């Protein structure tokens, strides 16, 4: 699709193309893919953007994997370009009767042409594990984030967090009860030096009783 409009006194043109593909490889296994390209230009001005995108997803009743890649190019009023690349990979395992595992990995890379020390890389990873047995559910997770600048004088920042918790649910004909507890441990490092530590405990209890119809 191609469209044009007026914005801030300048005429802009937008082009967007998208293609999707889906296939059932087996009765319990599906494959989907998507490719997209979006371009925005201003007539007579250097501003604009180009955003290609691609993704691939494999889905099963017990597991799944997803991946995507999005390199973005933006041009400002001075004609300087900024390039950002984002890569995402995620997956899950959810077999009946087993704990569920979710994994994610995201990487963002920023490059700025014509400017000094404008680039950097950020990476985020997290994993969660959940399981329920009757009225009781337990959970745990890990997350870390790393920020690295292209400027060698800048400090590398690394953050990690652990969390765990449990919930008990009871529901009767005339009463209900919810008990919940969560613990989180956050740590932040700057250039391999531990700078911050924060631990949080949270407990919650709630319930209800119906005295009459």
């Amino acid at each position: 699709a191609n469209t044009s409009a007026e914005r801030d006194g300048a005429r802009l043109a937008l082009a967007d193309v998208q293609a999707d593909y889906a296939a059932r490889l087996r009765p319990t296994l599906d494959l989907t893919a998507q490719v997209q390209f979006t371009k925005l230009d201003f007539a007579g001005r250097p501003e604009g953007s180009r955003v290609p995108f691609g993704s691939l997803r494999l889905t099963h009743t017990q597991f799944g994997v997803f991946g995507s890649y999005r390199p973005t190019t933006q041009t400002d009023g001075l004609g300087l370009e900024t390039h950002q690349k984002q890569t995402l990979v995620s997956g899950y395992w959810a077999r009946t009767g087993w704990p569920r595992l979710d994994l994610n990995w995201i990487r963002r890379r920023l490059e700025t042409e014509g400017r000094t020390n404008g680039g950097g890389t950020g990476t985020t990873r997290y994993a969660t594990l959940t399981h329920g047995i009757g009225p009781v559910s337990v959970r745990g997770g890990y997350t870390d984030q790393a920020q690295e600048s292209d400027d060698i004088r800048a400090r590398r920042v690394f953050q990690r967090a652990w969390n765990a918790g449990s919930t008990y649910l009871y529901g009767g004909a005339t009463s209900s009860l919810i008990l919940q507890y969560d613990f989180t441990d956050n740590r932040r490092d700057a250039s391999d030096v531990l700078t911050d530590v924060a631990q949080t405990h949270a407990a919650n209890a709630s319930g209800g009783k119906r005295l009459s119809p």
Side-chain angles (χ1 to χ4, degrees):
N2 291 275
T3 61
S4 61
E6 294 281 345
R7 192 176 79 178
D8 299 331
R11 189 170 185 82
L12 61 89
L14 172 65
D16 183 71
V17 180
Q18 178 177 318
D20 298 273
Y21 173 79
R24 173 149 292 181
L25 305 179
R26 293 183 179 180
T28 58
L29 187 62
D30 294 328
L31 175 68
T32 58
Q34 182 183 91
V35 176
Q36 184 178 9
F37 179 79
T38 303
K39 183 178 180 181
L40 177 65
D41 290 310
F42 287 84
R45 290 165 53 175
E47 294 101 321
S49 64
R50 299 187 303 275
V51 186
F53 172 78
S55 68
L56 185 67
R57 184 190 302 271
L58 187 66
T59 306
H60 188 270
T61 54
Q62 298 180 355
F63 65 88
V65 180
F66 173 79
S68 68
Y69 180 64
R70 186 196 306 270
T72 302
T73 301
Q74 291 184 326
T75 307
D76 62 15
L78 300 177
L80 299 177
E81 290 188 348
T82 299
H83 303 273
Q84 180 171 316
K85 303 174 183 178
Q86 176 179 290
T87 306
L88 183 150
V89 179
S90 64
Y92 68 89
W93 170 267
R95 185 173 181 179
T96 303
W98 290 44
R100 177 187 173 94
L101 176 64
D102 292 272
L103 302 170
N104 286 270
W105 179 83
I106 304 172
R107 183 181 186 271
R108 296 182 177 90
R109 169 65 186 167
L110 178 64
E111 298 176 351
T112 304
E113 296 183 0
R115 303 173 185 174
T116 58
N117 305 326
T121 303
T123 304
T124 302
R125 303 178 299 179
Y126 62 90
T128 58
L129 189 67
T130 57
H131 188 49
I133 304 176
V136 179
S137 63
V138 294
R139 56 194 170 275
Y142 171 79
T143 303
D144 64 39
Q145 295 180 332
Q147 298 288 338
E148 298 184 65
S149 175
D150 291 345
D151 185 357
I152 60 175
R153 298 169 298 178
R155 307 176 74 182
R156 177 181 182 270
V157 178
F158 184 79
Q159 301 179 74
R160 63 170 61 90
W162 297 90
N163 65 83
S166 179
T167 301
Y168 171 78
L169 298 174
Y170 167 77
T174 61
S175 60
S176 64
L177 177 65
I178 302 175
L179 302 177
Q180 182 173 321
Y181 170 77
D182 287 284
F183 168 76
T184 303
D185 180 279
N186 289 283
R187 297 174 183 269
R188 182 176 186 272
D189 305 340
S191 299
D192 299 326
V193 177
L194 183 62
T195 58
D196 296 291
V197 177
Q199 295 181 337
T200 303
H201 299 265
N204 178 69
S206 62
K209 175 67 176 178
R210 189 175 65 192
L211 303 179
S212 66

